[in-house]
Amino acid sequence: MNAKRILVVDDSPIELRLTSRLLAQAGYETVTALTGEQALRFALEVRVDGILLDIHMPGMDGFEVCRLLKENPTTARLPVILYSVRDQVTDVLQGEEVGADDFVAKSAGKERLLRSLEHLLGRCEDSELPGSRFDFSSLEPVAARLAPDVLARTISREFARTVRPILEEVLDAPSAEQLLNLAIKKVANRFSFFGESASSYPFVEERLGNVSVSEILEGFGRLADAIDALMAKVAAAGVYTAGHLRAVTPTHADEVRSALGTLIQRVCDVILEQSRGEEPDSRIAAPGPSEADRAMAEVAARTSGASRTFVIHLDGDGLIVNSDATVLEILGYDQMTLLGSYFQMIVDESSHDDLASLLASVKATGHGEGTLVFKKHNGDRLSGRISLAALYDPLGQFVMARGRIALGISESGAVGGL
């Protein structure tokens, strides 16, 4: 079988030799080009199976070369890997915008490059596309009570509360905005109610007139899939956030994926919570208060209205992945400081064993409930009631626990009685 031939493009003769030698050792043939113009000509004149393209070149840079290759029907199907010393999240996303099939930072190592080549060159033309990970259609029996525009606003609002803060923490705010805008572009052709920007709502209100609830749910499901795919590509590329503050890893992609899975359950919770104050209709009966809700009511009653509640999300190890900003007002901790910290950081040592039991219970049975002593940032202590409920992804796997916490107001240094 003939060896696969790779067009390697780099303005550095030394880098060209090093990369060509690496590929030859892995069993590939190579053709080399020093400029973008040469690369475009060779791609048309020489048989190649894939292109390894540096970004930073004088004259026509790699992004422009990639864009032109993908716009030309003759070269559009050639796999293009951007392979560069540039290693920022924004580089990966810009490469995605111009049609690059993958992005590999040179600092990620040769194994990452060879895996990418093997994957792209071995991909069958008629290979089946991966299925959708996020199935918002499961919400349809509940969402049917809402008008499409109300449902779209509800999903967008909960997305802004549960997913976007994690995305901005994992990347940075500008990169998160760029990723969201790119994800929206990927689904906007199919779902016309999406707009061109994620700066506020990702949909255009005026375009929802003839859109059904099922279309809204499918559209947001595909948007979640696009976000998940982009995060996976960023995490695999071996790149860093702005200013090399932190490498983006597959663990970060998993955090965003978990938040997207939680969003489905969160939207369902919100719709049901809203319906509790309404008369049930023939499509769905509004449920009564849960045991957790009754426990919270009892807490409030016993503290004569002097309790405050907030919601927090924990992963299976007890790390805080999201929280209400209310925690700042009640306990004095900054919301962003808490994200990624262990929940026991705000729990008094006397309650650490109880917390461990609650976390074990929610993973084993789906729920946990008890009383803990919490530490305020200033050293004061508060007694509070916590109710944990497991949240699952569309495949039924445990993602994280959602906790409702009711804290009693106490004097300095005292434990509020519950």
Side-chain angles (χ1 to χ4, degrees):
M1 184 174 66
N2 293 332
K4 297 287 187 180
R5 183 179 295 166
I6 309 300
L7 172 58
V8 184
V9 188
D10 199 310
D11 66 314
S12 167
I14 295 176
E15 288 289 340
L16 275 182
R17 285 197 297 272
L18 291 174
T19 305
S20 296
R21 183 183 306 166
L22 167 64
L23 295 182
Q25 290 172 348
Y28 295 100
E29 294 181 1
T30 60
V31 178
T32 61
L34 285 164
T35 67
E37 291 81 3
Q38 280 185 343
L40 293 173
R41 186 172 73 253
F42 289 171
L44 290 169
E45 297 176 353
V46 181
R47 181 196 65 79
V48 296
D49 300 291
I51 300 175
L52 202 56
L53 180 59
D54 187 34
I55 294 175
H56 188 67
M57 296 185 293
M60 187 183 298
D61 68 11
F63 292 125
E64 180 66 8
V65 174
C66 183
R67 184 185 66 79
L68 293 172
L69 286 168
K70 293 300 182 179
E71 288 179 352
N72 188 327
T74 304
T75 56
R77 299 183 69 84
L78 282 174
V80 177
I81 300 174
L82 298 179
Y83 183 53
S84 178
V85 294
R86 289 171 58 163
D87 56 3
Q88 299 286 298
V89 171
T90 54
D91 296 321
V92 182
L93 298 177
Q94 188 173 349
E96 187 74 15
E97 288 179 354
V98 296
D101 296 275
D102 203 357
F103 185 108
V104 180
K106 290 183 179 179
S107 58
K110 66 179 183 181
E111 291 81 7
R112 168 72 178 92
L113 171 63
L114 295 177
R115 284 199 308 270
S116 179
L117 279 170
E118 182 180 0
H119 169 70
L120 291 176
L121 298 181
R123 186 171 56 193
C124 298
E125 294 292 337
D126 57 351
S127 61
E128 186 176 336
L129 293 175
S132 298
R133 182 183 294 271
F134 301 99
D135 183 13
F136 278 70
S137 66
S138 61
L139 294 175
E140 190 158 358
V142 176
R145 14 181 350 107
L146 301 181
D149 60 332
V150 176
L151 175 62
R153 282 194 295 271
T154 300
I155 298 176
S156 294
R157 183 177 64 247
E158 296 310 315
F159 179 93
R161 291 175 176 175
T162 61
V163 178
R164 187 158 186 155
I166 295 177
L167 193 60
E168 291 182 350
E169 174 68 14
V170 163
L171 303 177
D172 53 64
S175 296
E177 182 82 3
Q178 185 181 4
L179 185 145
L180 290 175
N181 287 337
L182 183 54
I184 290 169
K185 288 180 182 178
K186 287 180 175 293
V187 299
N189 286 340
R190 182 177 175 187
F191 302 96
S192 60
F193 57 86
F194 284 118
E196 291 72 35
S197 171
S199 58
S200 54
Y201 290 135
F203 63 90
V204 179
E205 192 97 27
E206 293 76 14
R207 299 178 186 174
L208 292 173
N210 298 317
V211 177
S212 67
V213 164
S214 61
E215 287 176 296
I216 294 289
L217 294 173
E218 185 182 3
F220 276 96
R222 300 300 72 76
L223 179 60
D225 284 332
I227 293 169
D228 180 59
L230 287 171
M231 270 303 306
K233 182 166 286 190
V234 168
V239 292
Y240 293 78
T241 57
H244 287 77
L245 296 179
R246 182 181 63 249
V248 182
T249 69
T251 299
H252 294 125
D254 289 342
E255 291 176 14
V256 175
R257 182 174 299 127
S258 295
L260 288 166
T262 302
L263 175 63
I264 299 174
Q265 182 62 48
R266 176 58 189 157
V267 171
C268 183
D269 289 347
V270 168
I271 295 172
L272 291 176
E273 287 168 5
Q274 292 172 346
S275 71
R276 287 173 186 169
E278 303 171 355
E279 290 296 324
D281 63 20
S282 59
R283 287 173 290 183
I284 181 170
S290 66
E291 290 299 323
D293 293 329
R294 282 193 283 270
M296 292 302 166
E298 291 171 7
V299 168
R302 287 199 296 270
T303 55
S304 301
S307 70
R308 298 292 303 280
T309 65
F310 64 94
V311 176
I312 200 161
H313 290 84
L314 311 175
D315 72 5
D317 296 321
L319 284 171
I320 300 171
V321 295
N322 199 14
S323 72
D324 285 353
T326 316
V327 73
L328 175 63
E329 181 181 350
I330 302 174
L331 296 177
Y333 295 97
D334 180 82
Q335 183 188 27
M336 299 310 294
T337 300
L338 289 181
L339 294 180
S341 301
Y342 281 100
F343 183 56
Q344 70 176 25
M345 162 186 169
I346 63 174
V347 175
D348 189 75
E349 289 184 5
S350 63
S351 291
H352 282 185
D353 289 343
D354 292 334
L355 172 61
S357 297
L358 285 171
L359 292 173
S361 176
V362 75
K363 285 194 287 186
T365 68
H367 66 275
E369 195 171 323
T371 300
L372 301 174
V373 178
F374 293 87
K375 294 186 300 185
K376 294 179 68 174
H377 191 263
N378 64 5
D380 293 349
R381 294 180 298 151
L382 291 173
S383 182
R385 187 77 178 175
I386 179 170
S387 179
L388 293 171
L391 300 175
Y392 303 94
D393 66 17
L395 300 178
Q397 301 296 313
F398 175 86
V399 174
M400 63 180 71
R402 179 173 181 262
R404 289 181 179 273
I405 301 171
L407 293 170
I409 307 301
S410 70
E411 299 296 328
S412 177
V415 179
L418 293 179

